[in-house]
Amino acid sequence: MNPLLRRMLTSRLIRYPIYLFLLLFLFLCLVGIFLPEDYYWEDPLETDHHLYAGTNPYRDLPEDQLTVVKEILFTAETLRDVFLPTSLPDEDDYGFLSKLVRTLETREDISWTTLRETGVDSTLGHIANRRVFADEPYELTDRFRRLSEHWSRLALEEGKPERWEVEHDVTFLPPVLKVKGLEHQGGVNGGVEEEEEEGVLGALLTGEQREKMEERWAEWKKNRDRSVSYLKSHPPRPLAWFPVPKSQAGKIAAWTELVDDGAVEAGKSVDEERVVASQKWKPWYVGWEMEDVPMEWRAPGEEDMTPEEFDRWMAKFNRQREWGDERKRKQEEIQEKLKAGRDMVWEVKDEL
């Protein structure tokens, strides 16, 4: 061996790290021999499961409500696409749209879970708060606002079940109207016949619309099943915690309960286990669409798309995007005309 190389290998700079590594390896082997077989290092995911399993809001949808969720989802997304930010008077079928709204006004099978999963309350709230939009018949704007306010009032009432409670699935919301037909609303005729069956979209939809509803439902349900199958076994951390008491004194008591010395100060650390155990605090979760689910996760029995299925999905996605871009362009044109007309009116008033 080369004398220089031998000298380097036998130097203390080389020998001591090797000795240290061997001693560390021997120590770990001895520790492994004497540790009990059921010993494990604490897994953060297991810790989260222990803490949040009791308030995990993610579970399978009730089988007897699947059709309702499908119909409300179709209704919500149809109204969103048409009315936000404005409808198109020369293209949109207001009679059909009024019938869709009427089903929301009279359905008695909408549970809190259906309302949450479809986001129809949020959709109608955004529509009701529009600022620049075309004139729309059948008192649609007032009806959107009435529905939104109705659901908001119910959400603020005492006793509303939380998302992780079974009652959230089986508590049904009273309808805003208890009669059929728009003739009961100030003489407005929305094209809904007295004999129309409540809560059934089948009689209202064309074959093309039914196909669209079924395709959208299959896609939405597949995505939800995938995410929820993961979240059921991996309860997520709440995005925030809110005090249950409404009064200021109750809120102060809720905060005081979290600290040992009773002194509530900004920036003071709080033990999350204590928050979870407290009856004065409740968690707030986002929707399953916003939760962190691994991309590679698949629901039981789910198969990946074939190349042909992916190509069809991409073609459909591109068609929808093109349709949305064209509709957005027309909506912006209408809004510009409405703004110009409004500005002209204000100029005339100023001159007068």
Side-chain angles (χ1 to χ4, degrees), residues 71-72 74-76 78-79 82-83 92-107 110 124 137-140 143-144 147 176-177 179-183 185 188-206 209:
E71 292 184 348
I72 300 298
F74 173 81
T75 300
T78 299
L79 297 177
V82 170
F83 289 102
D92 296 328
D93 183 353
Y94 290 114
F96 167 71
L97 295 166
S98 178
K99 293 176 183 180
L100 283 184
V101 177
R102 176 45 46 93
T103 64
L104 294 178
E105 293 170 325
T106 57
R107 295 191 78 135
I110 300 178
L124 264 61
Y138 306 128
E139 299 181 357
L140 284 169
R143 293 163 65 194
F144 289 139
L147 267 169
V176 70
L177 295 178
V179 294
K180 300 180 182 180
L182 292 179
E183 63 274 17
Q185 280 197 82
V188 181
N189 182 7
V192 180
E193 300 297 333
E194 277 293 319
E195 65 271 19
E196 177 184 293
E197 183 179 0
E198 291 182 337
V200 178
L201 293 188
L204 301 179
L205 305 183
T206 64
Q209 288 170 331

Side-chain angles (χ1 to χ4, degrees), residues 72-73 76 113-126 151 289:
I72 300 298
L73 180 70
T113 295
T114 298
L115 201 73
R116 169 71 196 188
E117 289 289 338
T118 60
V120 64
D121 53 339
S122 175
T123 297
L124 264 61
H126 288 306
W151 287 330
E289 306 94 333

Side-chain angles (χ1 to χ4, degrees), residues 153-170:
R153 279 196 303 272
L154 294 176
L156 294 176
E157 291 181 356
E158 292 291 336
K160 175 183 176 295
E162 302 294 349
R163 288 172 59 191
W164 51 88
E165 296 176 335
V166 177
E167 289 76 11
H168 197 267
D169 292 342
V170 297

Side-chain angles (χ1 to χ4, degrees), residues 23 36 47 50 123 137 145 147 195 203 210-211 226 231 281-282 286 316 328 344:
L23 288 173
T47 302
H50 172 70
T123 297
R145 184 174 297 109
L147 267 169
E195 65 271 19
R210 281 194 293 269
E211 182 180 357
R226 176 187 303 155
L231 296 170
W281 291 85
K282 65 178 180 179
V286 297
K316 176 184 174 183
K328 182 179 179 181
M344 185 178 298

Side-chain angles (χ1 to χ4, degrees), residues 78-344:
T78 299
L79 297 177
R80 176 201 65 194
D81 294 342
V82 170
F83 289 102
L84 290 176
T86 179
S87 59
L88 304 178
D90 295 335
E91 297 185 14
D92 296 328
D93 183 353
Y94 290 114
F96 167 71
L97 295 166
S98 178
K99 293 176 183 180
L100 283 184
V101 177
R102 176 45 46 93
T103 64
L104 294 178
E105 293 170 325
T106 57
R107 295 191 78 135
E108 299 179 348
D109 54 3
I110 300 178
S111 66
W112 283 116
T113 295
T114 298
L115 201 73
R116 169 71 196 188
E117 289 289 338
T118 60
V120 64
D121 53 339
S122 175
T123 297
L124 264 61
H126 288 306
I127 297 175
N129 290 320
R130 294 174 300 169
R131 291 293 178 264
V132 181
F133 56 94
D135 290 334
E136 295 157 352
Y138 306 128
E139 299 181 357
L140 284 169
T141 302
D142 291 338
R143 293 163 65 194
F144 289 139
R145 184 174 297 109
R146 189 157 45 243
L147 267 169
S148 178
E149 292 174 351
H150 172 68
W151 287 330
S152 296
R153 279 196 303 272
L154 294 176
L156 294 176
E157 291 181 356
E158 292 291 336
K160 175 183 176 295
E162 302 294 349
R163 288 172 59 191
W164 51 88
E165 296 176 335
V166 177
E167 289 76 11
H168 197 267
D169 292 342
V170 297
T171 302
F172 297 93
L173 284 61
V176 70
L177 295 178
K178 295 190 179 296
V179 294
K180 300 180 182 180
L182 292 179
E183 63 274 17
H184 295 280
Q185 280 197 82
V188 181
N189 182 7
V192 180
E193 300 297 333
E194 277 293 319
E195 65 271 19
E196 177 184 293
E197 183 179 0
E198 291 182 337
V200 178
L201 293 188
L204 301 179
L205 305 183
T206 64
E208 182 180 353
Q209 288 170 331
R210 281 194 293 269
E211 182 180 357
K212 179 181 178 181
M213 180 176 68
E214 294 296 339
E215 288 181 354
R216 174 58 181 141
W217 169 248
E219 180 183 25
W220 183 90
K221 183 70 162 47
K222 180 179 180 180
N223 291 334
R224 186 190 188 277
D225 288 347
R226 176 187 303 155
S227 295
V228 170
S229 67
Y230 176 83
L231 296 170
K232 285 192 300 183
S233 57
H234 301 81
R237 184 185 297 271
L239 187 64
W241 290 86
F242 291 93
V244 174
K246 304 293 185 181
S247 66
Q248 186 64 22
K251 293 178 181 179
I252 293 176
W255 277 105
T256 304
E257 185 181 272
L258 302 182
V259 291
D260 293 327
D261 57 7
V264 180
E265 300 174 353
K268 197 170 187 177
S269 62
V270 174
D271 183 3
E272 192 160 4
E273 290 191 16
R274 184 175 291 187
V275 182
V276 174
S278 174
Q279 297 297 314
K280 297 179 181 179
W281 291 85
K282 65 178 180 179
W284 186 81
Y285 294 90
V286 297
W288 58 264
E289 306 94 333
M290 302 297 292
E291 295 288 3
D292 187 16
V293 177
M295 290 288 294
E296 66 277 6
W297 182 268
R298 294 293 180 269
E302 179 185 355
E303 297 180 357
D304 290 331
M305 282 186 180
T306 64
E308 294 76 15
E309 290 173 334
F310 179 77
D311 290 341
R312 288 196 295 270
W313 182 86
M314 282 300 302
K316 176 184 174 183
F317 174 81
N318 290 330
R319 288 194 302 270
Q320 291 175 339
R321 184 183 59 183
E322 292 172 359
W323 177 86
D325 291 343
E326 178 63 16
R327 183 172 180 87
K328 182 179 179 181
R329 182 187 64 80
K330 295 177 180 179
Q331 290 171 323
E332 290 175 348
E333 289 179 356
I334 286 183
Q335 286 187 309
E336 289 300 324
K337 292 179 182 179
L338 291 171
K339 291 177 182 178
R342 184 180 60 184
D343 293 341
M344 185 178 298

